[in-house]
Amino acid sequence: MTFPDTFLWGTATAAHQVEGGNTASDFWAMEHAPGSLFAEPSGDACDHYRLFRDDLALLAGLGFTAYRFSIEWARVEPEDGVFSRAAIAHYRDVLAACHEFGLTPMVTLHHFTSPRWLMRYGGWEYAGTPERFAAYCRAVLAELGDSVPYVCTINEANIGPLLRGMLGISGDGAPVGIDLGGQDWRRPAAEALATTPDKLNPFLFTFSDAGIAVVKQAHMAAREAIRAVSPASQVGITLSLQDFQPLPGATEIADRMWAEQFEEYLPALQGDDFLGVQNYCRARIGTEGILPQPADAELTQAGYEYYPQALEPVLRRAATAGLPLFVTENGIATADDDRRVAFIETALDGVGRALADGVDIRGYFYWSALDNFEWMLGYTPRFGLIAVDRETQRRTPKNSAYHLGAVAGRHRRIRS
Ligand code: BGC
């Protein structure tokens, strides 16, 4: 399989899932409120805020050439309009370490978590959020832009329609199918965030049409702000895309879901430099929507079907955006690392075939570098190439880390 010499071989993380102690974020409060939807709180996570240099050295030593991580808005702007020079200096150190170790950084400016104060205004349904988000992006890129070649504004910007499709939620945000464990978590979480339940609209739980529009506007406002202060940084967004496989009679509904989750975002992406594609599985579509997994399906720890073949068709379809693509996330939660190796091999075979057919794919970032905080599921699912003992914070690379690192390392040697 031939990959271009410039192809980025990376792993990905997100601030809240690895840094630890993200106390100024909405998620921290939600994790600790009575009736929380979270299996356990994020706590110290992987203490990556302190151990980032060791982690980056480890990844570079394994052979990787790139690292995707997120900057935490809640740290940079812990109170409305109050920017932390210390937090920005921390991320300057992370970027410097990436360059020192030969890892091309790809920075994400929003990966699910937001500052607590945003929930006082209405979170991701508040019409002023795009402007606030853009102000934060401007502050970060004005300081750090010189060391940021690639920047993703918002991670999985299409989470609203994606979750609607998975949970069966109507346009006004009301659950019509399975809901998120009832609404009992809302009032205590709102109290913890000094807001009211109607204003508590965290990014991950906002499915309304209003919320979807806010996210698109936030991306466009952020892109403009970034361009103004850091014109050399390439700007994109990431979308979570599934391989929709319609059963007979369900093509129309599958097409409608693809339109809602992909095509309707394209106008907001006009002027972007790249598109980040995130894929974990397929979705079989029946006339009522997404079907349960087949009875004999191999399920991963995150509850997804093992289906690494999904990445290739998703990339081919995403190419219709007319933008260079990066696989910004692809991975598997499993305790069986042999399955992870097999997953990666199958997924990369698909990337190679798409590349050979001329699809412009510029890099592959495995999710995730470390076993980390898998949101509502806590620390049980293991997505990492590197195991983390959370008592001692000791890191142990798995076979899959050596495997993918060796593929990456061959290219690292060619590049240097
Ligand atoms: C998210 C990650 C998450 C991963 C695995 C993606 O939706 O961007 O934060 O950990 O999927 O579920």
Side-chain angles (χ1 to χ4, degrees), residues 14 17 111-112 155-156 278 280 304 329 367 374-375 383:
Q17 296 177 269
H111 195 125
F112 295 173
N155 182 67
E156 300 195 341
Q278 318 209 149
Y280 289 88
Y304 313 138
E329 286 183 29
W367 181 273
E374 179 54 23
W375 306 111
F383 275 97

Side-chain angles (χ1 to χ4, degrees), residues 54-76:
D54 297 348
D55 290 336
L56 296 178
L58 183 56
L59 290 167
L62 286 162
F64 291 100
T65 64
Y67 181 56
R68 173 172 177 249
F69 67 98
S70 76
I71 289 184
E72 182 58 52
W73 185 5
R75 289 189 194 275
V76 171

